[in-house]
Amino acid sequence: MENVHLVEDEDDIYSGYNDYNATFDSEELDNDEGFQQAVRTSHGRRPPVRSLQSNYSQYDIMARIPLASSLGRPVTGAIQVRETLTFFLCNLCLSFIHHDTDLPQPSFSGTTFDPLGQSKGPAPPLEARNDDTPEEKIKILEKRVNELIAESCIAHSQGSLQLALEKAKEAGRKERALVRQREQSGNADHINPDLTYAVLFNLANQYANNDMYPEALNTYQVIVKNKMFTNAGRLKVNMANIYFKQKNYPKAIKFYRMALDQISNAHKETRIKILQNIGVVFVRMGQYSDAVTSFEHIMSESPNVRTGFNLILCYYATGDRDRMKKAFQKLIAVPLGIGEEDKYIPTNDDTHANLVTEAIKNDKLHQMERERKSLAEKFIMTSAKLIAPAIESSFAAGFDWCVDMVKSSQYVELANDLEINKAITYLRQKDFKQAVESLKMFEKKDSRVKSAAATNLSFLYFLEKDYEQADRYADLAMSADRYNPAALINKGNTCFVRQDYDKAEEFYREALRNDSSCTEALYNLGLTYKRLNRLEEALDGFLKLHAILRNSSQVMFQLAHLYELLDDPQQAMDWLMQLISVTPTDPQVLAKLGGLHDLEGDKPQALQYYSESFRHFPSNMAVIEWLGAYYIETQFCEKAIQYFERAMLIQPTQVKWQLMVASCYRRSGNYQQALETYKDIHRKFPENIECLRFLVRLCTDMGMKEVQEYATKMKKVEKMKEIREQGNSSRGDRLSTKLKSLPGSNEPYESSGQRDLDASYVDPLGPQTERPKTAAKKRGDESDFADEELGDDLLPE
C-alpha cells in the first residue's frame, strides 16, 4: 500500500482531459510550414531499412530502459518489452530526421511520405444515375403527378379555370400510367392510394368549377365507391352542392342526409353546416316547416346570426306572428364572440400599451370582428324592417316593438338607426309628413344621430322645393357633424339652385376632402364647372368619375355633352356609342347620336339612329319632323305621310302637320286625296290662307266648279288679314309714342322694365340633364350611413 497514491480532495480528477496537442491536428497541415517543407524536400523521403546495431549498441538501448513505473511498481516483462520497443522506435525516427541528408533514395515503391493521399490524384466521378430503370421511371412519374396537381390548384387560384381543368386531366392520365408501370414491374403493393385520391378529388373539383356537373358527379362517384379511400363518404356533401346548383333539390336533400349519417357527433361544426344547407334547400323547395325544424335545431345547439335570420324568414313566410317575435329575440341574443371596442382606444399614460393598441387597431382579427358585427347589424336591421308591418296592427307599432327589443339587447346603438329607418320607410311610402315628424324627434339626440336626421330632413325639403328649409337643416347637419359628406352635398345643392356656383364648388370640394369616394360630390362638382364654363375641369372630373363608375349612363352622357361643347363631335359620338351599349333603348341618346351624324353629313347613319329612336319613343316631335323632312327630301313622300300623321295625333291643333300630309299627297301625284285633305283642313281652319291657296290651285288644275268659291274666300281672308295688320301697326305707333314720354335709360324707372323682368326669370336648375344629385342619410343594410341618390326624375334623360 505504500506505493498506492490516494487522490486528495483538492485534486481535480478530470485535469488534463481537455488538453489538446496541436501536433496531432491534421486539418491544419496545409498551413504548417515545416510539414510542407518536409513534403517538398528530401525530408519527406523515407530512408532504407538498416540494421539496428548500426546506430545504437545494445548497451545504449538497454541503458534507456526504465526500471520502474511511475507508481513505484516493478515493471513486468510484457510492459518492459513494449516500452523498450516504443522507446527504440522513437529514437530510430529521430535518427532518420537528423541524418537522412546523406541517405540514398529508397529502392521500393510507396516510400513517399503522403499522409493526405495527394499523389493518387482527384477522386473518381460519381456514377451517373440511370433513368432507364423501372424504379427511377416510377419516381419521376410520381413527382410529375404531384407537380401537375399543384399547378392545377395554382391556376384555379389565379382564375384560370380552363387551365386548371387541363392540368387536372393531365395529372389523371399520368397517375393511371404510374399505376400501370407499378403493376408491370411487380410493385402493385406499393401503389399510393393517397396520390390517387388527390388526383381524383382535384379533377372533380375542377369539373365543378367549370360547370361540368355530370363529369364532376361521375368522378365523385368513383371516389365514394372505392373502399380503399377512408372517410370518402364526406364527399357526398360536394355532390349535394352540385345537385343544389342544378336545382335538383330532392337529390341534394338525399345526399346531404347521407353525408350527415357518415359524420360522427364529434364533428359538431360540420354537422351544423350540413343541417344549415338542408334548411336552405327546404326553403328553396317551399317546405318552410321542414326548414324550421333544421333551423330550430341549429339555434338550440350552436346559434348564429345567419341561421337566426333564416328562421325569421321562414316564420314570416308562414305568417306566424308570435314565432316571428321569438325568433327576433333569439337573433338579437346570439353571442358574437368579439371583444369590446374599448381595448382599441389608446391610453395617454402608457406608451408601450399605445404602440400595441396602434398595431392591433387594424389587424386581421379586428377586421374580422368588424365584419362579423356589421353582418349581425345587417341581419337585425333587415329583420326589423321585414317583420315590423306583420307582427302588429300597424307598421309604426311593429317598428316600435323592434326598437324596444333592440334597446334591451347588446345592440343598443342600433335603436337610433332603426328609428331613422322608420322615417326612411315613411319616405318610401310617400308619407312625407310622418317622415318629417319622425326625423324631427332626433334634433335633441347625440351629434351623430342628429346629423343623420337633419340630412334626411334637408333631403326631403329639397324634394319639395322648399329650399329655405333644406338649407336650414343642411346647416344643422353640418353643425352636428362637419365631416358628414351628405350634409355638405345638400348644402352645396341649395347653393347650386340659388346659382351661387362658387359656394357650391366649395362645399362639394369639402365633401370630397372628407370622403374621396363620394361620387355624388364629384358628379355635382362637374355640373358646377359646366355652369361656370370651366369645361376642361368638368371634363377631368367626369373622367375620374367614369374610372370609378364604369357603367354609369349619367357620367357617359355628361362626357358626350362636354365633348360636344368643346367642338369635338367625334369624341362625343364615341361616348354616346358607349352609352348605347349600356342603355340600348334610350330614345334621347339615339336621337342625339342621329343629330350628331346629321351635322357631320352622314345622312344614312342619322336615319338609322333617328328611326331607332322613333321605334322606342314615337312621340318625340323633333325626331318625327326630321324623319318626315328626310323622306320628302329623298322623294319618298309616301313614307313621310305616316310620320306627319303621327304628328297630327300628338298636336291636333297645329295646322302645319295636316298641311304637310296634304302636301305629301300632292307631291306623290295623289291629287284627289290631296284635295280631300285640303278640304278637311279648310273645315277645321277656315281662315288658313295657305290651305285656300292650294285648294284654288288644285281645283283649277282639275277643272272643278268650286274654284270660284275658294277664290272668293281666299280674297276675303286676305283682306281681313290686311285689316288686322294695319290695326296692329297703329297700336304699335301709339305704344311707341307713349314709351317716348317714359323716363330715360339712366333713370331708376328702367330697372323695373319688362326687359329686366323677362331676363330675371330663368329656370334655376336649367336643363334637366344638369340637375345636381342630392344626398340623404339612410340606415340600410350597411353598418354605416350611406348616401342616397335623389331619384330618376333628376337624372339625365
Side-chain angles (χ1 to χ4, degrees):
M1 294 298 293
E2 60 183 3
N3 294 324
V4 177
H5 297 277
L6 298 177
V7 179
E8 298 179 359
D9 294 337
E10 62 271 9
D11 293 340
D12 186 3
I13 62 175
Y14 296 104
S15 62
Y17 183 80
N18 292 327
D19 291 346
Y20 176 71
N21 190 351
T23 307
F24 304 105
D25 188 0
S26 61
E27 295 180 358
E28 296 295 329
L29 291 177
D30 291 340
N31 301 324
D32 191 341
E33 295 182 0
F35 179 79
Q36 293 297 329
Q37 179 68 22
V39 170
R40 288 193 297 268
T41 62
S42 61
H43 291 284
R45 296 189 183 95
R46 229 178 134 180
V49 180
R50 295 185 181 180
S51 175
L52 296 178
Q53 285 85 358
S54 60
N55 289 321
Y56 295 93
S57 64
Q58 186 176 5
Y59 174 80
D60 294 331
I61 295 173
M62 296 305 295
R64 293 173 174 80
I65 295 176
L67 298 178
S69 68
S70 60
L71 297 177
R73 184 177 179 178
V75 181
T76 62
I79 296 176
Q80 181 179 357
V81 172
R82 184 174 68 247
E83 292 184 355
T84 302
L85 291 175
T86 303
F87 181 79
F88 169 74
L89 291 174
C90 290
N91 285 281
L92 180 62
C93 292
L94 290 173
S95 66
F96 289 158
I97 294 174
H98 290 292
H99 304 287
D100 62 356
T101 54
D102 299 327
L103 294 178
Q105 293 292 333
S107 60
F108 51 89
S109 61
T111 59
T112 304
F113 183 74
D114 188 12
L116 299 179
Q118 293 179 351
S119 61
K120 297 179 181 179
L126 297 176
E127 295 182 2
R129 186 178 62 181
N130 189 4
D131 293 339
D132 295 334
T133 61
E135 292 79 5
E136 289 297 329
K137 288 182 178 179
I138 289 173
K139 289 181 180 179
I140 294 173
L141 196 55
E142 186 172 359
K143 181 179 179 182
R144 181 56 183 159
V145 171
N146 284 299
E147 290 175 353
L148 287 171
I149 294 174
E151 291 173 4
S152 175
C153 296
I154 292 172
H156 172 259
S157 65
Q158 294 174 350
S160 302
L161 301 182
Q162 189 62 35
L163 178 61
L165 179 60
E166 293 299 329
K167 294 288 185 182
K169 289 181 178 179
E170 187 178 354
R173 291 191 293 268
K174 297 284 187 185
E175 194 273 335
R176 289 192 293 272
L178 175 63
V179 172
R180 286 195 298 269
Q181 285 194 15
R182 286 189 184 276
E183 291 175 349
Q184 291 172 2
S185 63
N187 294 326
D189 295 338
H190 295 83
I191 294 176
N192 188 354
D194 294 334
L195 183 62
T196 305
Y197 179 87
V199 169
L200 292 174
F201 181 67
N202 181 58
L203 181 60
N205 274 334
Q206 302 308 331
Y207 275 134
N209 294 331
N210 285 271
D211 297 336
M212 301 172 67
Y213 298 131
E215 292 83 353
L217 289 172
N218 292 335
T219 309
Y220 278 126
Q221 284 287 2
V222 172
I223 301 175
V224 171
K225 291 182 179 180
N226 196 331
K227 303 288 187 180
M228 185 172 57
F229 302 136
T230 58
N231 298 324
R234 297 185 181 185
L235 295 182
K236 291 181 180 178
V237 175
N238 295 15
M239 300 175 69
N241 292 338
I242 294 176
Y243 285 123
F244 180 81
K245 292 178 181 178
Q246 292 179 328
K247 297 184 179 181
N248 190 351
Y249 299 130
K251 277 239 176 177
I253 292 288
K254 175 183 175 182
F255 276 83
Y256 278 135
R257 286 177 170 169
M258 290 170 64
L260 194 64
D261 293 338
Q262 296 186 8
I263 296 176
S264 64
N265 293 328
H267 301 88
K268 181 179 178 181
E269 293 297 326
T270 305
R271 292 179 60 85
I272 290 296
K273 291 178 180 179
I274 295 175
L275 281 172
Q276 189 166 349
N277 287 358
I278 293 174
V280 172
V281 177
F282 277 130
V283 171
R284 291 295 183 93
M285 297 173 66
Q287 300 179 13
Y288 299 113
S289 58
D290 295 329
V292 163
T293 303
S294 297
F295 293 144
E296 285 283 5
H297 177 74
I298 296 173
M299 292 300 289
S300 62
E301 294 291 331
S302 178
N304 59 83
V305 291
R306 190 179 297 276
T307 303
F309 179 70
N310 290 337
L311 185 61
I312 291 175
L313 293 181
C314 292
Y315 285 138
Y316 180 81
T318 56
D320 194 333
R321 292 187 176 184
D322 295 334
R323 291 192 174 182
M324 270 189 275
K325 290 183 176 181
K326 292 180 181 178
F328 186 78
Q329 291 173 341
K330 289 181 180 179
L331 175 63
I332 60 179
V334 172
L336 293 180
I338 61 177
E340 297 292 335
E341 287 292 328
D342 296 341
K343 67 181 179 182
Y344 298 107
I345 300 176
T347 57
N348 296 326
D349 50 352
D350 193 345
T351 306
H352 179 70
N354 291 344
L355 291 175
V356 174
T357 303
E358 190 67 26
I360 67 173
K361 181 181 293 185
N362 201 31
D363 61 354
K364 295 293 183 182
L365 178 60
H366 194 202
Q367 291 176 9
M368 184 198 71
E369 291 177 347
R370 285 199 300 261
E371 290 174 0
R372 184 177 295 181
K373 185 177 180 181
S374 175
L375 182 66
E377 291 176 351
K378 172 185 174 181
F379 285 141
I380 292 171
M381 296 290 292
T382 307
S383 301
K385 290 188 288 185
L386 178 68
I387 68 174
I391 58 177
E392 297 292 345
S393 57
S394 66
F395 161 77
F399 228 110
D400 291 339
W401 181 87
C402 293
V403 171
D404 292 338
M405 291 296 104
V406 170
K407 285 181 178 178
S408 60
S409 70
Q410 56 183 324
Y411 303 97
V412 180
E413 65 275 6
L414 279 183
N416 292 326
D417 300 333
L418 281 172
E419 290 283 1
I420 290 180
N421 269 275
K422 178 182 175 182
I424 297 296
T425 307
Y426 279 130
L427 179 61
R428 289 173 178 165
Q429 294 176 352
K430 307 298 182 183
D431 192 349
F432 296 104
K433 183 178 179 181
Q434 287 290 340
V436 171
E437 290 180 359
S438 298
L439 291 172
K440 285 185 176 180
M441 295 170 55
F442 292 94
E443 292 187 11
K444 296 183 180 180
K445 297 281 186 178
D446 61 356
S447 59
R448 184 181 66 87
V449 179
K450 183 194 298 185
S451 178
T455 302
N456 282 299
L457 285 170
S458 175
F459 169 74
L460 287 174
Y461 284 120
F462 190 88
L463 282 181
E464 296 177 347
K465 297 185 178 180
D466 189 350
Y467 301 125
E468 183 179 353
Q469 289 290 339
D471 185 69
R472 186 173 76 85
Y473 279 102
D475 289 334
L476 181 61
M478 290 167 54
S479 63
D481 183 7
R482 184 69 186 187
Y483 298 99
N484 182 357
L488 293 167
I489 291 173
N490 287 344
K491 180 64 177 178
N493 289 346
T494 58
C495 296
F496 189 95
V497 297
R498 292 198 305 266
Q499 300 182 12
D500 190 355
Y501 301 122
D502 294 327
K503 276 286 186 183
E505 178 191 358
E506 292 179 8
F507 287 113
Y508 294 145
R509 281 186 171 278
E510 187 176 355
L512 284 172
R513 284 194 296 271
N514 294 337
D515 183 6
S516 59
S517 63
C518 184
T519 55
E520 289 83 0
L522 191 56
Y523 183 90
N524 291 350
L525 184 61
L527 295 182
T528 306
Y529 285 145
K530 282 180 67 176
R531 290 299 181 90
L532 294 171
N533 202 28
R534 292 153 61 178
L535 301 182
E536 293 292 343
E537 296 181 53
L539 185 63
D540 292 340
F542 281 115
L543 286 174
K544 291 178 183 177
L545 190 57
H546 177 68
I548 302 172
L549 306 174
R550 302 295 299 180
N551 295 322
S552 174
S553 58
Q554 307 172 57
V555 177
M556 294 180 188
F557 180 85
Q558 293 295 338
L559 286 168
H561 189 212
L562 283 169
Y563 277 116
E564 185 182 2
L565 294 175
L566 291 169
D567 296 329
D568 192 348
Q570 189 59 46
Q571 284 284 354
M573 286 189 286
D574 290 343
W575 281 105
L576 288 175
M577 289 296 295
Q578 293 188 40
L579 179 54
I580 285 178
S581 66
V582 177
T583 56
T585 60
D586 192 323
Q588 295 291 340
V589 177
L590 293 167
K592 189 70 176 175
L593 198 53
L596 289 174
H597 280 289
D598 186 28
L599 291 175
E600 292 295 307
D602 192 351
K603 294 287 184 180
Q605 281 286 70
L607 174 63
Q608 177 185 349
Y609 289 117
Y610 273 124
S611 300
E612 284 293 307
S613 177
F614 177 79
R615 185 170 66 87
H616 293 297
F617 184 62
S619 300
N620 190 329
M621 295 303 299
V623 174
I624 292 172
E625 186 174 3
W626 189 94
L627 289 170
Y630 172 80
Y631 283 116
I632 290 177
E633 183 181 351
T634 55
Q635 304 300 321
F636 290 100
C637 299
E638 294 85 355
K639 289 188 175 181
I641 292 174
Q642 61 174 332
Y643 296 106
F644 293 128
E645 286 179 345
R646 172 71 65 173
M648 287 171 53
L649 294 175
I650 298 172
Q651 295 179 348
T653 59
Q654 294 289 331
V655 68
K656 66 176 182 177
W657 306 121
Q658 301 181 40
L659 290 173
M660 292 300 297
V661 172
S663 176
C664 289
Y665 283 126
R666 182 171 55 82
R667 289 170 182 266
S668 61
N670 193 348
Y671 298 109
Q672 185 62 40
Q673 187 65 37
L675 181 62
E676 294 298 329
T677 305
Y678 279 123
K679 287 181 179 181
D680 186 57
I681 295 172
H682 178 64
R683 284 192 295 269
K684 295 178 180 178
F685 304 95
E687 296 183 357
N688 188 274
I689 297 177
E690 187 177 355
C691 177
L692 290 170
R693 186 179 294 116
F694 280 110
L695 280 171
V696 170
R697 183 181 300 179
L698 283 174
C699 290
T700 302
D701 293 342
M702 298 174 66
M704 300 181 66
K705 297 179 181 180
E706 292 93 339
V707 61
Q708 188 63 37
E709 177 185 354
Y710 290 125
T712 304
K713 290 182 178 180
M714 186 176 65
K715 289 180 181 180
K716 289 181 179 179
V717 172
E718 288 177 348
K719 189 174 181 179
M720 292 174 62
K721 182 180 179 181
E722 290 177 0
I723 294 172
R724 289 196 193 98
E725 289 177 353
Q726 290 177 359
N728 291 336
S729 176
S730 61
R731 284 198 299 272
D733 294 340
R734 290 195 299 270
L735 182 60
S736 298
T737 304
K738 185 176 181 180
L739 288 174
K740 290 179 182 179
S741 63
L742 295 177
S745 59
N746 294 326
E747 298 181 21
Y749 183 80
E750 186 180 342
S751 61
S752 60
Q754 183 65 31
R755 179 171 59 84
D756 287 339
L757 290 175
D758 291 341
S760 65
Y761 180 73
V762 180
D763 183 8
L765 287 179
Q768 193 174 4
T769 58
E770 296 185 7
R771 186 74 172 264
K773 293 183 181 180
T774 58
K777 281 290 189 179
K778 67 176 182 178
R779 183 69 176 181
D781 294 339
E782 303 296 332
S783 61
D784 296 324
F785 288 103
D787 295 335
E788 182 181 42
E789 297 182 6
L790 186 56
D792 294 338
D793 58 329
L794 296 183
L795 302 182
E797 294 183 354

